[in-house]
Amino acid sequence: AQKVTQAQTEISVVEKEDVTLDCVYETRDTTYYLFWYKQPPSGELVFLIRRNSFDEQNEISGRYSWNFQKSTSSFNFTITASQVVDSAVYFCALSEAGYTGTASKLTFGTGTRLQVTL
Amino acid sequence: DSGVTQTPKHLITATGQRVTLRCSPRSGDLSVYWYQQSLDQGLQFLIQYYNGEERAKGNILERFSAQQFPDLHSELNLSSLELGDSALYFCASSPWAATETQYFGPGTRLLVL
C-alpha cells in the first residue's frame, strides 16, 4: 500500500528565511507520481507541482524548488526567502500509475503547517 | 481559480439528515474525484467517476453515494448524517483517469449538529 509521511507538523520561520518541507513516500510501484499542494487559510487546495518517478531532475519555480531523490524515497520542497503569503498547510501526495485507464487516487500526507512571521 | 466549482460552500444540518454536494469539473475533464478532509482522518479519497462510470472507491461509507451525470457534473449524497461526518468535502477533476494532475474545487464545508 502506498503511504506518504510528512513528519513536520508545524514550522515557524521569520520572513526571508529559507525553509524546507520534508516528504517521504512508500510505494511498490515503479511508476508513480508525486505532488505538492498548498492549502492557504481560505481552505482551497492549490496545485504546485507534479513529478513522475522517472524524472529525478530537481525543479525550480521562482522561490520554490523541489528535490526528488528515489534512493531515499523523498520529495522535499524548499521555499527560498519565505514571505508571509507563504503561510499555509502544505501537502505532499502520491499517485500510483497502475494500468492505463485505471484510477489514480491521491494518497496525501498529513500536511505541514508553515507559519511565516514578520 | 482551478476551474472546478462546488456548491454549496457551506452547509449546516442536523444528525440523521441527508444532503447533496455538487461539483462541476473543469471544462474538458472527464474524471471527477471526491475527497474528505477531517481533523482526525486528514485528506482521504472517497470515490472516482470517469465519464459517468464509477472507477474507484476509497474509504467511502455505505451511507454515502455519488454519481456523475451525462454533462459530467457530479453529486455526492450523504445520508443519515452523524456528527463525525462534519468535514470539508473536496471535488477534484482531471482530463481522464490515469495519473493526470487533479485540480481541486474550493470545497464544501459541512457541519452536522
Side-chain angles (χ1 to χ4, degrees), chain A residues 33 35 37 39 43-45 47 50 91 95-97 99-106 108, chain B residues 33 35 37 43 45 48 55-56 88 90 96-106 109:
Chain A
Y33 294 80
F35 302 80
Y37 286 86
Q39 187 174 38
E44 72 271 26
L45 279 168
F47 165 73
R50 168 176 170 250
F91 290 95
S95 174
E96 291 170 342
Y99 298 97
T100 299
T102 57
S104 55
K105 64 166 188 171
L106 291 172
F108 285 89
Chain B
Y33 308 78
Y35 291 85
Q37 185 178 27
L43 264 164
F45 167 71
Q48 180 205 3
R55 186 57 65 96
L88 187 50
F90 286 107
W96 64 301
T99 58
E100 295 283 339
T101 296
Q102 294 177 31
Y103 292 90
F104 284 75
R109 193 171 294 277

Side-chain angles (χ1 to χ4, degrees), chain A:
Chain A
Q2 51 188 3
K3 184 180 177 183
V4 176
T5 301
Q6 294 180 257
Q8 304 152 309
T9 307
E10 193 161 341
I11 301 176
S12 290
V13 298
V14 176
E15 206 177 39
K16 296 182 186 171
E17 282 185 21
D18 299 347
V19 59
T20 295
L21 310 182
D22 298 333
C23 172
V24 173
Y25 62 91
E26 292 176 32
T27 177
R28 290 182 209 163
D29 275 19
T30 54
T31 302
Y32 51 90
Y33 294 80
L34 295 163
F35 302 80
W36 277 93
Y37 286 86
K38 173 182 180 179
Q39 187 174 38
S42 50
E44 72 271 26
L45 279 168
V46 179
F47 165 73
L48 295 178
I49 189 172
R50 168 176 170 250
R51 214 83 186 120
N52 75 56
S53 51
F54 297 110
D55 183 1
E56 285 193 73
Q57 268 196 321
N58 291 334
E59 181 154 340
I60 298 174
S61 175
R63 296 183 297 106
Y64 294 172
S65 62
W66 290 269
N67 181 270
F68 176 29
Q69 290 196 341
K70 277 177 89 166
S71 59
T72 56
S73 297
S74 65
F75 185 43
N76 297 336
F77 172 30
T78 297
I79 301 175
T80 302
S82 59
Q83 299 176 2
V84 172
V85 292
D86 296 327
S87 297
V89 180
Y90 291 87
F91 290 95
C92 181
L94 168 69
S95 174
E96 291 170 342
Y99 298 97
T100 299
T102 57
S104 55
K105 64 166 188 171
L106 291 172
T107 296
F108 285 89
T110 50
T112 297
R113 182 178 299 277
L114 175 64
Q115 180 114 13
V116 182
T117 55
L118 293 171

